[in-house]
Amino acid sequence: MPTHSPFLRRLLAAAVAAGVLAASAQADVIAATNPSAIPAQAKARKDTIVGAISAPQGIFNPYLFSNGWDENVTEVIFGRLVGLDAQGKLRAEQAESWQVSKDGLQYTLKLRKGLKFSDGSPFTADDVAFTLTFLHDPAYDGGTDISLAKIKGGDAYKAGKASSVEGIKVLNPQTIQITVTEPGATTLQLIGGPVLSRAWYGRGYQPGKLDDLRQYSSKPLGAGPYIYDKFVPGQEVRFHANPYYFAGKPAVPNFIYRITSDATKLQLFQTGETDLEGFSINADNIEQLKALGFANLNIYNSSDYSLIEFNHNKPALKDVRVRQALTYALDRKKLVDVVYQGYGSVATLPLSPVSWAYDTKGVNPYNFDPAKAAALLDQAGWKLGSDGIREKGGQKLVVTLLATKSLFNDALIPIAKENFKRVGVELRPEVSDFNALLAKRKAGNFDLATFRTSGLNDPHDGVARFRSTENEVGYKNAQVDKLINAGNGTLDIGKRKAIYHQLYQVLANDAPLILLANRKLLYVNSSRIGNYQPDVFNGIFGSLPKLKIQY
């Protein structure tokens, strides 16, 4: 078991009291009624489990991906030093234990004995030091903001003023010590993430030049439960069991991610071509899946939220009145009712109701109000033209919306088009696959973009996108930056909750995006698969190494 300092024990106790370890993290299970109905095609697959994934891009590095589906692949390959259990408590994985000094400024992580990467090479504290140093590289542009950890000397290294990061110290092959300049609520999870092999990823790597390191994104090497075999775009990602996995080689020799879509997933599961799948949650899907007889249904609260992002670099959207108007103009309750049929709610905060930081008191909910939307657009100088579309300075108020093909967006697009037209705004949807959406977004070729966040384990995860240093769409607010940093800068749950409550009020008033929905999740597994227990903190990954084939 991990060794916690009194500092961390107090933090965990406070989290329990605040409700972070809520029962809502657990799944409600509707058990299969007729396992004998398992399709013959699935029964014939004696040594392989097939899961489902939507749109991997092929960048399989836990610190360089830009696509959440690629992140799902890296979870299979890499594992973590420190993870979370099904209740959200810190869990020792590749790190055997950790200690934190009383002042919260020094972390000492001890690795498990005999750790190896999946090629059999040693996994040591040098690899951890290499990973953390790489995250401070001047050219690093991935999604992990290691600056939040406040590692001593990190800024100097990133600025090219030092040849190493002062606060990273390897004590021996099994032990690494990290010194930080400020306590941080997310520090342990930041320094306890996936580890890159220095021998593999460090070949040819030079600080400030990431091209050599990036080339290994298509040839990943990790220490997780399964080893990467190959990626066939549009079809599948294949893996085989890692004999060097710290918890023992998984019992099932092979794992496959089959690429599915809303249009194909039910058929593939029904015919036995997949064993694990996620579905949009609604009464129709639940009844269809129950009727199969061989499906176990797992229903639990998600920790993500869906959204419409504004491109703040576009002149019309720089005006907060326009952003507020578009939020009031959208009937989000109708959207949630149509899509989730009682298994979702309109999102008011940039986090899930399962979080201990959830508090909507005093936060503008932006209830559907076309009259208020129209008044705000009038105030912003956008006047109705003869064709019913607003104009200002000879420019029509026409906005593009980047979206992917999905059941959610199939409902969102017509509702949004109708709602926006009612207040004099023309919406032009551009539907593409997720990777094309990301490319357009990165190039800035959009007004609005809709997608869903990854799972959020800490309230900081839900607001990090609003920091000026991390925001990719031009949003800047000094007060927001200050509150985000303050919320991550203390480990006192009570103080954090008060800071986030203030932050949510500021964000609501500034309307940097349109929050859409919180939802429940529906994951199913064929009853031929045992030990499958998805949870809000880990999804399928907490179960993956322990899965077994029963039939």
Side-chain angles (χ1 to χ4, degrees):
M1 292 297 291
T3 302
H4 302 315
S5 68
F7 172 80
L8 272 180
R9 286 198 296 271
R10 290 195 301 272
L11 176 62
L12 287 171
V16 173
V20 67
L21 312 183
S24 57
Q26 301 300 312
D28 294 325
V29 179
I30 301 174
T33 56
N34 184 18
S36 64
I38 295 169
Q41 183 169 339
K43 287 183 178 179
R45 208 164 44 242
K46 302 294 186 183
D47 63 354
T48 303
I49 291 176
V50 181
I53 199 169
S54 290
Q57 191 173 16
I59 303 175
F60 302 142
N61 182 306
Y63 297 111
L64 293 175
F65 63 81
S66 59
N67 176 324
W69 305 112
D70 283 355
E71 182 182 13
N72 288 350
V73 173
T74 69
E75 293 273 7
V76 177
I77 302 167
F78 286 88
R80 298 178 60 89
L81 290 171
V82 180
L84 298 173
D85 67 13
Q87 286 74 45
K89 292 187 291 186
L90 298 168
R91 176 175 66 185
E93 293 188 7
Q94 293 156 349
E96 179 181 76
S97 63
W98 55 84
Q99 293 181 326
V100 186
S101 61
K102 291 182 179 180
D103 59 7
L105 298 180
Q106 194 171 81
Y107 294 74
T108 305
L109 282 74
K110 186 174 183 180
L111 305 184
R112 294 180 184 274
K113 293 180 180 178
L115 275 181
K116 294 181 180 180
F117 290 102
S118 61
D119 64 350
S121 61
F123 177 136
T124 72
D126 282 327
D127 298 295
V128 182
F130 169 74
T131 302
L132 295 176
T133 302
F134 154 70
L135 290 173
H136 287 89
D137 190 284
Y140 177 69
D141 58 356
T144 299
D145 185 3
I146 196 64
S147 69
L148 289 171
K150 305 291 184 183
I151 297 176
K152 189 176 182 181
D155 289 343
Y157 181 82
K158 192 169 184 66
K161 298 178 181 178
S163 59
S164 63
V165 180
E166 182 183 351
I168 301 173
K169 186 175 182 181
V170 173
L171 301 184
N172 58 55
Q174 275 185 265
T175 313
I176 188 165
Q177 188 175 83
I178 309 298
T179 301
V180 301
T181 58
E182 300 175 22
T186 57
T187 298
L188 187 57
Q189 289 190 58
L190 277 169
I191 65 176
V195 175
L196 303 179
S197 162
R198 180 193 290 269
W200 183 253
Y201 290 93
R203 292 183 294 177
Y205 164 68
Q206 299 177 46
K209 299 179 181 180
L210 299 186
D211 288 347
D212 283 326
L213 191 147
R214 287 183 191 278
Q215 69 175 315
Y216 296 108
S217 294
S218 61
K219 297 174 283 188
L221 173 70
Y226 282 87
I227 300 171
Y228 172 80
D229 287 329
K230 67 176 180 177
F231 169 44
V232 183
Q235 296 182 39
E236 64 185 19
V237 189
R238 285 183 171 263
F239 314 84
H240 67 277
N242 180 6
Y244 302 109
Y245 185 54
F246 78 87
K249 182 180 179 180
V252 180
N254 302 297
F255 179 68
I256 297 173
Y257 265 138
R258 180 150 293 155
I259 296 173
T260 66
S261 68
D262 284 337
T264 63
K265 60 177 58 179
L266 180 60
Q267 179 184 354
L268 293 173
F269 185 77
Q270 186 174 2
T271 57
E273 294 179 63
T274 57
D275 299 304
L276 313 172
E277 179 62 278
F279 288 88
S280 296
I281 188 164
N282 55 54
D284 291 341
N285 279 345
I286 288 173
E287 290 307 310
Q288 287 186 79
L289 291 164
K290 285 169 61 177
L292 296 177
F294 65 86
N296 293 314
L297 281 64
N298 305 272
I299 300 171
Y300 58 96
N301 287 308
S302 172
S303 63
D304 60 19
Y305 62 89
S306 52
L307 60 104
I308 294 176
E309 180 178 60
F310 293 121
N311 184 349
H312 292 258
N313 295 308
K314 294 299 182 84
L317 299 173
K318 290 179 183 291
D319 191 327
V320 65
R321 293 168 297 186
V322 175
R323 301 196 301 268
Q324 290 172 338
L326 293 176
T327 308
Y328 279 120
L330 183 60
D331 192 347
R332 295 175 294 156
K333 186 178 186 305
K334 179 179 179 180
L335 172 66
V336 168
D337 289 345
V338 167
V339 175
Y340 296 124
Q341 299 175 16
Y343 292 95
S345 59
V346 173
T348 303
L349 307 178
L351 80 167
S352 165
V354 303
S355 173
W356 53 265
Y358 193 84
D359 183 355
T360 61
K361 184 178 180 181
V363 177
N364 185 351
Y366 285 93
N367 294 324
F368 180 52
D369 193 335
K372 186 172 288 188
L376 283 164
L377 291 171
D378 286 338
Q379 292 171 24
W382 290 93
K383 304 303 180 183
L384 281 174
S386 58
D387 59 356
I389 303 302
R390 291 178 180 269
E391 300 176 357
K392 181 180 179 180
Q395 185 75 30
K396 294 281 190 180
L397 191 48
V398 178
V399 293
T400 58
L401 171 68
L402 302 182
T404 56
K405 179 68 176 174
S406 69
L407 292 175
F408 187 88
N409 291 336
D410 285 348
L412 169 64
I413 288 171
I415 290 173
K417 284 185 73 171
E418 179 183 350
N419 289 167
F420 286 0
K421 185 176 181 180
R422 181 175 174 179
V423 299
V425 180
E426 181 180 342
L427 180 71
R428 294 179 180 173
E430 297 181 8
V431 179
S432 63
D433 65 56
F434 190 63
N435 295 324
L437 181 152
L438 289 177
K440 290 180 181 179
R441 179 178 176 271
K442 185 174 183 178
N445 298 329
F446 75 104
D447 297 307
L448 314 177
T450 183
F451 48 88
R452 185 182 297 119
T453 70
S454 299
L456 311 171
N457 293 329
D458 184 272
H460 172 80
D461 300 336
V463 297
R465 68 173 54 252
F466 303 115
R467 290 179 76 212
S468 300
T469 54
E470 289 186 56
N471 190 266
E472 299 173 320
V473 292
Y475 178 67
K476 291 180 172 61
N477 184 314
Q479 187 181 11
V480 168
D481 287 345
K482 182 178 179 181
L483 288 168
I484 291 174
N485 291 335
N488 187 63
T490 176
L491 288 100
D492 184 304
I493 293 290
K495 290 180 180 178
R496 293 190 79 201
K497 188 168 185 177
I499 291 167
Y500 286 118
H501 187 213
Q502 183 181 356
L503 172 61
Y504 298 144
Q505 292 174 317
V506 173
L507 285 170
N509 292 336
D510 210 19
L513 48 68
I514 301 176
L515 294 166
L516 294 178
N518 298 121
R519 59 177 181 152
K520 287 184 179 288
L521 295 174
L522 171 60
Y523 277 91
V524 299
N525 65 290
S526 169
S527 51
R528 84 183 195 99
I529 306 301
N531 294 338
Y532 183 64
Q533 297 177 313
D535 67 76
V536 67
F537 297 103
N538 298 288
I540 74 167
F541 303 110
S543 299
L544 186 59
K546 300 175 285 188
L547 295 181
K548 63 179 181 179
I549 296 176
Q550 301 179 137
Y551 305 108

